[in-house]
Amino acid sequence: MDMPGTGASPSILGLADIGAAMVPLVGGKAANLGVLTAAGLSVPEGFCLTTEAYRQATGADGHVQGRLSELHTALKATADDDLAALAELAARAREAVLSAPVPPETLEAIERAYGALGHDVPVAVRSSATAEDLPSASFAGQQDTYLNVVGAASVVEAVRNCWASLWTDRAVSYRASRGIDPAAVALAVVVQRMVDAKAAGVLFTANPLTGRRQQAVIDASPGLGEAVVSGAVNPDHFVVDPVTGTVLERRLGDKRIAVRPIPGGGTRTVASNGGAAACLTDRQAAELAALGLQVENRFGAPQDIEWAIAEDGRLWLVQSRPITTLFPVPERAAARPGVRVYLCFSLAQGLTRPITPMGLAALRVIASSVARAARFDVPEPRNGPSPYAEAGQRMYFDLTAVARSATGRRIVPRVFDVMEARSATVLRRVFEDPRFSVTRRTPLGMLRHVVPAAVHARVPETLLRALFRPAAALRRANRLARGFGDSLEAPADATPLQRLDHTEHLLGARIFPVVPAILPLPALGFAALALAGKLLGGGRWDDLQVVLRGLPNNVTTEMDLELWRLARVIRNDGESRAAMAARGPAALAVDYRSGDLPSELQAGVARFMGQYGHRAVAEIDVGMPRWSDDPTHILGVLANYLRLEDSSMAPDVQFSNAAEEAEACVDRLVAEARARSRLRGAAVRAALRRARMFTGLRELPKYLLVVRLAAVRKELALIGTALADAGVVAQADDVFFLDLVEARAGLEQASGPRLTDFRALVERRRAAYAQELERRHVPRVLLSDGTEPERLQPAGTQGVPAVPGALAGSPASAGTVTAAARVILDPVGAHLEPGEILVAPSTDPGWTPLFLTAGGLVMEMGGPNSHGAVVAREYGIPAVVGVPDATLRLATGQKITVDGGAGTVVPA
């Protein structure tokens, strides 16, 4: 129902006059109510004071305007973690707003609009912020709401208080944490007729706990919905199928209190005896769920809805906002029949952050080359093979075929047992779902694709050579590695389009062959280790971990030790040491790029960059700067190394000791086996020799792949420069927020008519990428209906810890250490004191320089043979991986005990 008679004031609009595009004028809440009203849904009639009214009120008085302007500047300059300073500034801003006189024309407009609702009609007065109730950020509860307001004067006072609530401590802190300019925000206010509610509450059109779409979740309580929204009551809880109307779950709350309106204005909390019976019938719950589905379809996204049922039984929608916490459904899921299961390959690579659009485009082409090598049909390589999918700017793969294959069910979870143990646990649970029953019981279909690809890559030959001539196999691997860096650059005189052709050739034909050429050797190394364990009688995990310490032939370890050697050079050069102590990493990086560092430091960093500058954090994403592009991270790590004073803790000493310990362990195990039989002893020696020789090569395929990705990035950067010079994009690195098809279109349009606004496209994508950077939870496994199987039942990889309060994970590197935790979400610029326990979401080679001075490691991701676990064992630091939400449950400075053998983390 629309609001009649609101007059022509630009500061007030009836809800029926508001559209979805009017957020800057009316705020998110009012815009959404306008959409619902236009759709003919039951929305209480009312009006909206626009942001223009707020600006008129705070700008009419020059003194108030000046105070707010100063406060905006101060807030913008205040760090988002300085809560005390933010709170003090917020209080001053509220005081300034409350002191501002409401302009006479606004007073008149409010009185006229309120009078049109009826004489002294009770209304709800709700804040509607311009950055509120949007898909990118939900500000629910950040500003104030006033219920059962009666009389024009009371409405004006409530409006004034709503304006002031734009500057509550929580709202100011929330905006600061998201980098929202204080001067850019304003507040609209919605005034709606109150519903005399018999029952009220909230409705989620998707299950917020499991992520499942089209499963309505309803919380209901007698009286006004404030009791449910504020958490003051234990409500009735319903889960409903909105299509069939079936109530899937019903749980009654105690409902001991209810919020009721007071005649004349205001509300009160009263005791309620509503606990014995549900405050909704199943029919009403089904009607609510169906209505919620209509609302979701109207907005095109799952919604968080507040509703009320009047005494006459009529159902009213009070407000609706997007559910911002849901992880997106994979983009290809809707086009495929039935429920499907997706695995996050980004997480399997130790990458929790989003991938840039060009990074995803590159990975699609690489994935297509893998599929084509296995003789799968890939119609358009730029789109990726059919199992490839993207969600939340992360890379997923459709594992439905694996789930339906008896062979796949046996092999894939076992692979993830050592790569990412929690994913293996979740997958096994998914395989129990009858919707993924086995339809292929023989491996013939898989072998038809795997065997020809393996033969073409000469995998059998590689394995036989490693078995019978291990030294020759190692020499061949090193020879291949040296050759993989040849002829990667396009000719110097190549045009931008020719460079793009060369880039796509590298991605489609020159990158994947690295993997089958090298990977069989570390695979054989791990198999040999497992064989040795069986020959020794099983149950020797602790001894076998020792065997893997101080491994040779590991390019990541060699890189980290080279960086440590550079740190020693700096320590022994007074000028370099003084520069490192006096300046931060960012300033040192500027000096390095201009050649102004002390000579020893400049030359040493240049040597390191010449060998390892192609590496980066999140290096499988070509959109991420390489260390040679930005050496800030490496200079920060060097600064960390210089704080290590104990020579016995020096990384090279620890690595050497670890290697000696491993060789001694090998001798002991061989002697033990020989005592049983000479043949068994010889077999154990051969197995352990190959395990130590080849397991360290685990890092080499990715290292070589990254060499080629760095070459791809270099070509794309030159293409980006051409696009920027032509004005197609604003700056050269905008190319990484396009994909390959768009980059080609941009080059073709550089000298012709502009058919696409690439600048606007890049701006939208940069904003979406920045939003995804804030996401802390990424599902390992995701179903096509949005369900996160891991949330259906807590999955501990090692069961319930014996020690109360302990966090459980997978044992990764034996040993026990008690020290202060250091939670690090991004290694760039991270500060890690020697001996602290590194707590991270995951790690890739870009993180490992931090391992050299860490006392221990705790990771949310990973399995016993994931990257972080392998490197931790080599350095001999205790490590536990696969610890759920470790970065949230542990805090920097908190003393913890890491038991790498038991797989537990115990807070002190």
Side-chain angles (χ1 to χ4, degrees):
M1 184 180 299
D2 65 336
M3 173 62 215
T6 56
S9 170
S11 62
I12 289 187
L13 293 171
L15 293 183
D17 300 321
I18 294 173
M22 298 172 67
V23 171
L25 183 64
V26 300
K29 186 179 282 90
N32 292 347
L33 287 171
V35 171
L36 296 177
T37 301
L41 299 174
S42 296
V43 176
E45 61 182 337
F47 58 91
C48 174
L49 277 86
T50 67
T51 53
E52 184 63 27
Y54 169 82
R55 291 192 173 95
Q56 288 173 358
T58 56
D61 186 303
H63 177 65
V64 171
Q65 185 180 30
R67 287 172 62 193
L68 282 175
S69 180
E70 292 175 2
L71 290 168
H72 292 161
T73 301
L75 283 167
K76 196 170 182 178
T78 303
D80 61 9
D81 59 353
D82 191 347
L83 300 182
L86 290 173
E88 191 270 334
L89 292 169
R92 289 165 55 190
R94 290 195 300 276
E95 180 185 351
V97 172
L98 288 171
S99 68
V102 180
E105 60 272 20
T106 303
L107 286 173
E108 182 182 348
I110 292 173
E111 291 172 354
R112 185 167 61 250
Y114 175 69
L117 292 175
H119 177 67
D120 284 346
V121 62
V123 294
V125 181
R126 294 185 170 91
S127 303
S128 181
T130 53
E132 174 187 59
D133 294 350
L134 306 176
S136 59
S138 176
F139 278 60
Q142 301 297 326
Q143 282 85 38
D144 288 348
T145 288
Y146 298 90
L147 301 178
N148 200 43
V149 179
V150 178
S154 297
V155 170
V156 171
E157 187 62 24
V159 167
R160 188 197 298 271
N161 288 331
C162 283
W163 286 338
S165 75
L166 182 62
W167 304 101
T168 61
D169 295 355
R170 61 185 182 275
V172 167
S173 176
Y174 190 92
R175 292 194 295 266
S177 68
R178 281 150 182 79
I180 297 173
D181 186 352
V185 296
L187 195 77
V189 180
V190 174
V191 179
Q192 284 179 285
R193 183 189 293 272
M194 280 286 295
V195 177
D196 185 11
K198 181 179 181 180
V202 296
L203 159 66
F204 294 92
T205 66
N207 193 317
L209 296 180
T210 67
R212 183 170 179 178
R213 275 32 171 205
Q214 291 200 353
Q215 189 175 77
V217 177
I218 302 168
D219 285 343
S221 183
L224 302 180
E226 178 65 17
V228 176
V229 174
S230 67
V233 68
N234 183 15
D236 292 340
H237 179 80
F238 299 83
V239 179
V240 185
D241 182 327
V243 177
T244 66
T246 304
V247 176
L248 305 173
E249 180 184 337
R250 183 189 303 100
R251 187 174 66 245
L252 300 187
D254 54 41
K255 306 184 292 295
R256 294 179 180 175
I257 64 168
V259 177
R260 302 286 187 186
I262 301 172
T267 62
R268 61 177 177 171
T269 301
V270 299
S272 172
N273 60 356
C279 59
L280 289 181
T281 65
D282 283 5
R283 179 177 177 179
Q284 287 173 320
E287 289 175 353
L288 260 176
L291 182 59
L293 187 57
Q294 290 184 54
V295 175
E296 177 179 305
N297 291 337
R298 175 63 58 172
F299 286 107
Q303 297 290 299
D304 168 3
I305 298 166
E306 292 185 29
W307 55 270
I309 296 179
E311 289 290 346
D312 62 5
R314 184 172 180 181
L315 201 163
W316 294 91
L317 298 176
V318 178
Q319 60 178 289
S320 183
R321 64 177 70 89
I323 306 175
T324 59
T325 57
L326 293 173
F327 194 80
V329 172
E331 293 172 4
R332 291 187 174 181
R336 311 196 70 176
V339 179
R340 309 192 69 83
V341 56
Y342 293 88
L343 177 80
C344 186
F345 195 74
S346 297
L347 290 183
Q349 289 295 310
L351 186 60
T352 56
R353 64 184 294 142
I355 301 174
T356 60
M358 187 60 80
L360 289 169
L363 291 170
R364 288 196 293 271
V365 176
I366 295 171
S368 295
S369 73
V370 175
R372 284 185 161 180
R375 300 189 177 180
F376 287 100
D377 183 38
V378 183
E380 173 46 72
R382 295 181 187 88
N383 295 336
S386 59
Y388 179 96
E390 293 169 9
Q393 299 175 37
R394 277 89 176 174
M395 181 171 46
Y396 280 79
F397 276 95
D398 187 340
L399 289 191
T400 309
V402 170
R404 295 189 176 281
S405 163
T407 304
R409 287 185 173 212
R410 285 195 300 270
I411 294 175
V412 171
R414 291 180 183 177
V415 171
F416 277 91
D417 279 335
V418 297
M419 284 181 59
E420 217 292 296
R422 286 173 64 197
S423 292
T425 302
V426 178
L427 283 173
R428 287 189 173 97
R429 186 182 310 143
V430 169
F431 293 164
E432 296 172 359
D433 189 326
R435 292 177 295 178
F436 302 110
S437 58
V438 172
T439 57
R440 290 187 300 278
R441 302 191 176 277
T442 69
L444 295 178
M446 179 188 71
L447 293 175
R448 189 168 63 250
H449 295 286
V450 172
V451 171
V455 170
H456 179 74
R458 302 170 68 179
V459 170
E461 177 187 336
T462 300
L463 290 173
L464 288 171
R465 185 182 292 108
L467 278 172
F468 298 107
R469 299 178 59 206
L474 184 61
R475 286 194 300 271
R476 181 175 181 272
N478 289 331
R479 193 164 56 250
L480 288 172
R482 287 192 296 272
F484 271 123
D486 296 341
S487 64
L488 295 181
E489 293 187 9
D493 60 350
T495 67
L497 277 171
Q498 288 171 334
R499 290 190 183 280
L500 186 56
D501 291 337
H502 179 69
T503 295
E504 295 198 53
H505 171 70
L506 289 178
L507 292 169
R510 298 285 304 278
I511 287 183
F512 172 65
V514 169
V515 177
I518 305 292
L519 193 59
L521 296 180
L524 181 110
F526 282 115
L529 188 73
L531 174 62
K534 289 184 179 297
L535 291 172
L536 290 165
R540 306 301 294 268
W541 172 238
D542 288 347
D543 285 328
L544 296 179
Q545 280 197 69
V546 175
V547 170
L548 295 180
R549 289 185 177 175
L551 286 173
N553 307 317
N554 187 319
V555 288
T556 299
T557 304
E558 293 166 0
M559 176 188 73
D560 295 341
L561 292 175
E562 182 63 31
L563 194 59
W564 169 252
R565 285 188 281 272
L566 175 56
R568 289 196 305 183
V569 170
I570 295 169
R571 187 188 297 273
N572 293 328
D573 181 71
E575 190 180 2
S576 297
R577 189 174 64 249
M580 292 291 295
R583 298 174 68 77
L588 290 167
V590 172
D591 289 346
Y592 170 74
R593 284 190 287 265
S594 62
D596 292 333
L597 290 176
S599 58
E600 284 284 356
L601 181 55
Q602 182 79 29
V605 174
R607 280 194 304 272
F608 182 85
M609 290 300 170
Q611 191 169 2
Y612 298 108
H614 64 278
R615 307 220 73 166
V617 176
E619 58 194 359
I620 66 169
D621 180 359
V622 296
M624 291 296 291
R626 309 291 108 170
W627 289 340
S628 57
D629 299 326
D630 183 0
T632 303
H633 172 51
I634 292 302
L635 289 163
V637 172
L638 286 170
N640 283 338
Y641 286 0
L642 292 176
R643 288 194 289 271
L644 182 62
E645 300 292 343
D646 186 351
S647 60
S648 66
M649 294 293 291
D652 53 350
V653 173
Q654 291 199 68
F655 184 80
S656 177
N657 290 341
E660 291 177 5
E661 185 182 356
E663 293 294 345
C665 184
V666 169
D667 292 341
R668 177 170 56 81
L669 294 176
V670 170
E672 179 184 324
R674 185 182 294 122
R676 299 171 64 179
S677 80
R678 293 176 62 85
L679 181 61
R680 188 182 295 266
V684 168
R685 176 177 292 280
L688 293 180
R689 179 189 174 201
R690 284 158 179 76
R692 283 194 56 76
M693 180 179 289
F694 295 132
T695 304
L697 293 172
R698 176 191 183 278
E699 298 290 316
L700 186 57
K702 184 175 182 181
Y703 176 88
L704 297 174
L705 183 148
V706 170
V707 168
R708 295 192 167 186
L709 287 178
V712 166
R713 177 181 169 83
K714 185 175 181 180
E715 298 296 333
L716 288 169
L718 293 171
I719 293 167
T721 298
L723 290 171
D725 289 346
V728 175
V729 296
Q731 54 196 39
D733 66 353
D734 283 351
V735 71
F736 298 111
F737 288 87
L738 304 175
D739 64 22
L740 293 165
V741 174
E742 292 157 351
R744 186 174 297 277
L747 291 174
E748 291 171 347
Q749 295 179 33
S751 57
R754 301 291 165 83
L755 305 178
T756 304
D757 186 349
F758 289 102
R759 289 176 176 244
L761 177 63
V762 167
E763 186 177 350
R764 290 195 302 272
R765 287 184 176 166
R766 283 189 179 276
Y769 181 79
Q771 178 188 333
E772 279 298 327
L773 280 173
E774 295 184 1
R775 191 185 296 277
R776 294 292 299 276
H777 170 72
V778 179
R780 290 165 170 75
V781 179
L782 188 64
L783 303 188
S784 55
D785 64 2
T787 301
E788 297 183 30
E790 191 172 10
R791 290 189 170 191
L792 297 177
Q793 176 184 343
T797 57
Q798 300 297 314
V800 179
V803 180
L807 311 183
S810 297
S813 179
T816 302
V817 61
T818 300
R822 174 75 64 170
V823 177
I824 297 178
L825 303 178
D826 186 337
V828 178
H831 177 95
L832 182 72
E833 290 291 340
E836 287 184 324
I837 297 171
L838 172 61
V839 180
S842 65
T843 63
D844 66 5
W847 286 74
T848 58
L850 294 173
F851 285 28
L852 287 181
T853 56
L857 172 68
V858 177
M859 291 197 325
E860 293 180 337
M861 308 298 303
N865 286 321
S866 60
H867 168 80
V870 170
V871 177
R873 282 197 297 272
E874 291 192 23
Y875 293 158
I877 61 174
V880 179
V881 300
V883 181
D885 301 322
T887 60
L888 296 175
R889 299 164 73 182
L890 301 174
T892 294
Q894 180 182 13
K895 184 168 283 190
I896 60 175
T897 297
V898 173
D899 187 332
T904 59
V905 181
V906 182

